[in-house]
Amino acid sequence: MNAAKRLEIFRRFHEDNPEPKTELAYSSAFELLIAVILSAQSTDVGVNKATAKLFPVANTPQAIHALGVEGLSEYIKTIGLFNSKAKNVIETCRLLIERHGGEIPQTREELEALPGVGRKTANVVLNTAFRQLTMAVDTHIFRVSNRTGLAPGKNVVEVEKKLLKFVPKEYLLDSHHWLILHGRYVCLARKPRCGSCRIEDLCEYKHKTSDD
């Protein structure tokens, strides 16, 4: 895919949605970190239902750590893998208190040192909470990048590096949100909705579908 096509793709994404946002509900960098940890292999809707009950009660590392694993589990038991996530979140809160004075670190290395925080989660927090030019590649973004020809790669790190290189600089900061929303609602895994796609004429996918 050439640079002109990429530029037009993101111009249209921006035109349709000038200020894209994550669908996870949060009001601080800490709440976002916890929500992203909980969202692994779960839906944002499901996470939001759980955090709507949790955050009014505990939304700091100190408060959530005080709940303990069992106490936290009661709030998040509707989310998949809640037992292991509860353990990770409690340990993450302990480390945030001990190593970072309860603040969220602003480097990928420090974030990835926290339990339950991988490269993707770290990049989401850095981009969404701290507005850093990072690219969190999830299954949606990996699929869209490969299927459209925007930034094909064999693994998520390869796609991440290509997106950082190829996405026009003026659109890079918000590109993660546009791509994830496009993959979630239009460029679906089983059957993409090409007939409703804003960038169908620019996409290089060879097996276009109709919406019938």
Side-chain angles (χ1 to χ4, degrees):
M1 181 176 287
N2 61 43
K5 275 189 179 181
R6 292 192 186 100
L7 181 63
E8 179 60 15
I9 284 172
F10 286 99
R11 189 199 68 76
R12 292 183 193 179
F13 284 158
H14 177 268
E15 184 177 71
D16 293 348
N17 186 5
E19 295 182 2
K21 300 281 189 291
T22 177
E23 294 187 315
L24 288 170
Y26 73 99
S27 60
S28 68
F30 175 71
E31 287 188 3
L32 177 65
L33 173 64
I34 299 307
V36 179
I37 292 173
L38 295 178
S39 72
Q41 294 177 277
S42 304
T43 66
D44 287 0
V45 172
V47 172
N48 288 342
K49 285 180 180 176
T51 57
K53 296 175 182 176
L54 171 64
F55 289 156
V57 175
N59 70 340
T60 65
Q62 295 82 354
I64 288 184
H65 188 261
L67 291 174
V69 174
E70 286 189 15
L72 176 58
S73 294
E74 282 301 306
Y75 288 99
I76 66 170
K77 61 187 178 183
T78 54
I79 300 174
L81 308 174
F82 75 91
N83 279 319
S84 61
K85 288 176 182 178
K87 291 174 185 173
N88 283 337
V89 167
I90 294 299
E91 182 64 8
T92 281
C93 289
R94 183 183 71 80
L95 293 174
L96 287 173
I97 296 164
E98 291 183 3
R99 295 181 183 174
H100 305 286
E103 299 296 317
I104 306 302
Q106 296 187 34
T107 70
R108 184 190 289 127
E109 292 72 25
E110 289 174 307
L111 284 167
E112 285 193 61
L114 301 170
V117 179
R119 186 181 184 93
K120 184 192 78 174
T121 296
N123 280 336
V124 170
V125 172
L126 292 174
N127 176 260
T128 305
F130 300 119
R131 304 303 279 161
Q132 294 186 23
L133 293 174
T134 59
M135 179 61 67
V137 178
D138 69 346
T139 54
H140 296 299
I141 293 178
F142 185 77
R143 179 175 68 255
V144 170
S145 298
N146 275 287
R147 185 183 275 164
T148 61
L150 183 67
K154 295 175 183 174
N155 55 60
V156 291
V157 175
E158 195 175 323
V159 169
E160 176 188 326
K161 289 178 178 177
K162 284 191 176 181
L163 285 169
L164 288 171
K165 180 180 178 182
F166 292 143
V167 173
K169 289 292 180 282
E170 63 265 42
Y171 296 119
L172 186 55
L173 192 59
D174 290 320
S175 58
H176 159 78
H177 296 306
W178 286 317
L179 291 170
I180 204 169
L181 291 169
H182 190 67
R184 189 172 284 167
Y185 297 111
V186 182
C187 199
L188 308 179
R190 291 187 179 178
K191 185 186 178 186
R193 299 175 58 227
C194 299
S196 303
C197 179
R198 186 77 161 84
I199 62 167
E200 183 187 10
D201 58 315
L202 302 166
C203 171
E204 298 181 355
Y205 184 51
K206 291 183 172 64
H207 309 289
K208 299 273 173 64
T209 66
S210 68
D211 287 357
D212 298 337

